[in-house]
Amino acid sequence: MRITADREVCCSAGQCALIAPDLFDQSDEDGSVVLLEAQPDAGRLDTLREVVSRCPTGAIRIEEDPGA
Amino acid sequence: MSYPDGSPGWLITRHAEAKELLTHKSFSARQEGIISPVPTELQYDGRPADPGAFAKTDDPIHSQYRKLVTGFFTVRRTRQLAPMIERIVHEQLDDLEKAGPGADLVEVFTESVPSRVMCEMIGVPESERKTLQRHVETLGRLSCTVPEALAAVSGMSGFLSRFVPARMDDPRDDLLGDLIRGGQLNEQELMGMAATLITGAFDTTGNMLAMGVFTLLEHPDQLAKLREDPELMAGAVEELLRFLTISHLGASRWALEDVEFAGQAIKKGEVVTVALPAVNRDPERYNNPDQLDIGRTDHGHLALGHGVHQCLGQHLARTILRVGYEALFDRFPTLRLTVPGDEIPMRDDFVHYGPRSLPVTWDD
């Protein structure tokens, strides 16, 4: 599983940093998403799905491992 | 549905469709095309938003302005403001203690805390705060007449036209000072930005703080759970935001082109309103949606909007609410209403819902 975070699309709402502060942070400069861990443990899938669903601009995506 | 001016409009009550609309490229938040879904004398008459007033613009203009301040409102930065917020909360609670037992919690506590916090962030002198608060309140009242609104707008802009140039000559170490030193905004834009921050912060969080206290007092089982386990506070704040949805008139957008949305043909120019309270209690989205459950883990409410306009100050609001509820119930463990809940006068004629006053008392 791999996460991608698009800083261009991000509007700095910070849902990701609120829900999963160990995986996401926000830049001090403009609050845009900072990915702390691009390949988290598979056990975090539910949390990541919540992050994706609550990201207001669709900046966060998960690429799941084929067959996982 | 039909809007008060007779024009056709659309109301969204489902959660999934609300999220889709608020991220849809064919719908605009620009002030020019928005019509109020409820009767009010105040309509935008097609004028664009003032420079810097980014909430009522679309991208790319919206994000150019918004990005200049988003760094101040991150989860981390707003949590770092907790000591300042705690100081303000405790000063107001000192006033409450002196005023009672028996006082109006709105007047002494909930109304003052968020406005003091924002004034401190942008360096507005305390002597101006209550006047600004009255202007913001006037503009949020649905029965506000055009002359009243003009007086409030002129009061606001009169203050800002003295305050902003003075700060440009002498920038302080605060949010406004940083914007000035950044050098990307002219005087007009700085005024628009300051007005947006003031109007965005004052009434919203104040009503939410008051409504949350009222609601917890009316749900003693939930309040007891919260007292037992303070770890529930973050979830309780989210649940109160969902359950109460004080922006009860919703969020509106207008169609930039003829578009098919949710199986309906929507014509260019038609306005769509998201009924946020309905969306946040959509039974397709939430179990027992009409029940306040501070232990609920499925948050994802739209009380703070969705899409690029999602509330800029949401994490600041969360910190104020958390600190505010914690400190209040901690210092006044016997806090209770002095009248039955259904006798509390409500601000049902305001853009943001909340109690007009909250008469409470406590054991000395």
Side-chain angles (χ1 to χ4, degrees):
Chain A
M1 177 169 66
R2 190 168 167 271
I3 318 174
T4 58
D6 186 339
R7 294 184 75 163
E8 292 302 308
V9 173
C10 174
C11 73
S12 310
Q15 301 305 311
C16 53
L18 184 73
I19 300 166
D22 57 329
L23 305 179
F24 302 93
D25 196 359
Q26 295 174 273
S27 81
D28 279 334
E29 188 196 335
D30 65 3
S32 62
V33 56
V34 175
L35 194 52
L36 299 176
E37 171 65 70
Q39 290 177 294
D41 191 88
R44 305 303 305 280
L45 190 57
D46 283 350
T47 304
L48 280 164
R49 283 193 177 131
E50 195 188 346
V51 168
V52 169
S53 134
R54 282 172 57 184
C55 173
T57 57
I60 314 272
R61 288 175 192 277
I62 317 171
E63 291 168 22
E64 286 181 53
D65 298 333
Chain B
M1 66 177 269
S2 190
Y3 278 51
D5 69 349
S7 59
W10 303 87
L11 194 68
I12 292 183
T13 55
R14 292 162 90 173
H15 198 277
E17 286 166 4
K19 283 178 80 173
E20 195 182 336
L21 181 95
L22 294 172
T23 51
H24 203 297
K25 300 284 180 234
S26 300
F27 291 93
S28 172
R30 277 191 349 246
Q31 172 171 286
E32 293 93 301
I34 299 290
I35 314 166
S36 169
V38 295
T40 156
E41 276 194 36
L42 307 182
Q43 293 291 353
Y44 289 126
D45 68 21
R47 279 177 304 128
D50 290 337
F54 57 85
K56 289 160 185 167
T57 61
D58 288 342
D59 279 348
I61 293 172
H62 160 263
S63 74
Q64 281 163 17
Y65 283 121
R66 180 167 158 137
K67 268 192 189 303
L68 296 175
V69 284
T70 41
F72 286 91
F73 294 95
T74 63
V75 173
R76 190 158 23 87
R77 292 281 285 276
T78 49
R79 280 185 185 154
Q80 285 164 357
L81 295 173
M84 179 263 276
I85 294 167
E86 277 162 16
R87 173 174 55 76
I88 288 173
V89 160
H90 281 287
E91 283 170 10
Q92 294 303 132
L93 291 178
D94 291 344
D95 285 357
L96 183 65
E97 206 170 328
K98 276 181 226 145
D104 174 10
L105 200 68
V106 170
E107 194 187 324
V108 191
F109 183 62
T110 60
E111 187 176 85
S112 305
V113 169
S115 60
R116 284 189 62 189
V117 169
M118 181 46 71
C119 283
E120 190 142 331
M121 283 180 77
I122 58 176
V124 169
E126 173 62 26
S127 56
E128 304 277 358
R129 184 176 60 85
K130 287 208 168 160
T131 317
L132 289 177
Q133 192 139 17
R134 273 202 301 279
H135 295 326
V136 173
E137 189 176 301
T138 301
L139 292 169
R141 180 160 48 80
L142 299 169
S143 60
C144 174
T145 64
V146 170
E148 284 172 332
L150 288 175
V153 167
S154 115
M156 275 286 265
S157 57
F159 162 71
L160 291 169
S161 63
R162 297 189 307 275
F163 171 66
V164 169
R167 286 292 188 271
M168 289 174 82
D169 289 340
D170 176 22
R172 309 249 169 117
D173 187 19
D174 56 22
L175 195 165
L176 186 62
D178 263 30
L179 280 179
I180 292 165
R181 279 187 294 270
Q184 298 192 58
L185 298 176
N186 64 29
E187 187 180 314
Q188 285 298 316
E189 292 169 317
L190 286 165
M191 284 172 59
M193 188 73 91
T196 299
L197 294 174
I198 288 169
T199 49
F202 276 35
D203 239 16
T204 47
T205 319
N207 278 298
M208 191 55 219
L209 196 53
M211 258 328 263
V213 173
F214 180 21
T215 305
L216 287 171
L217 291 174
E218 289 290 278
H219 291 78
D221 60 321
Q222 299 292 306
L223 182 56
K225 264 166 94 175
L226 190 56
R227 286 180 189 284
E228 223 166 87
D229 182 3
E231 294 285 307
L232 290 172
M233 182 54 88
V237 166
E238 296 309 311
E239 173 65 349
L240 288 166
L241 285 164
R242 179 198 73 85
F243 185 75
L244 297 169
T245 314
I246 58 144
S247 295
H248 63 131
L249 301 180
S252 291
R253 300 287 185 267
W254 54 281
L256 291 163
E257 57 196 345
D258 290 351
V259 57
E260 192 182 305
F261 183 83
Q264 303 290 335
I266 296 175
K267 290 204 178 67
K268 181 180 177 178
E270 287 181 354
V271 180
V272 184
T273 295
V274 177
L276 291 175
V279 160
N280 278 339
R281 294 191 184 196
D282 178 355
E284 285 178 28
R285 178 66 178 71
Y286 302 100
N287 291 325
N288 298 321
D290 295 327
Q291 197 176 326
L292 178 77
D293 173 10
I294 62 158
R296 194 185 288 273
T297 50
D298 182 11
H299 299 307
H301 58 75
L302 303 186
L304 299 154
H306 193 69
V308 295
H309 288 281
Q310 192 178 59
C311 178
L312 168 72
Q314 57 177 295
H315 304 300
L316 178 65
R318 285 186 170 98
T319 306
I320 293 174
L321 296 172
R322 178 176 58 76
V323 171
Y325 297 144
E326 264 170 13
L328 175 70
F329 289 115
D330 194 39
R331 272 184 65 172
F332 298 89
T334 57
L335 191 81
R336 57 193 180 268
L337 297 173
T338 58
V339 298
D342 57 8
E343 286 175 24
I344 297 288
M346 300 305 295
R347 294 165 40 116
D348 46 10
D349 59 338
F350 281 81
V351 174
H352 300 111
Y353 193 65
R356 232 174 260 279
S357 66
L358 208 50
V360 292
T361 192
W362 57 90
D363 297 336
D364 222 350

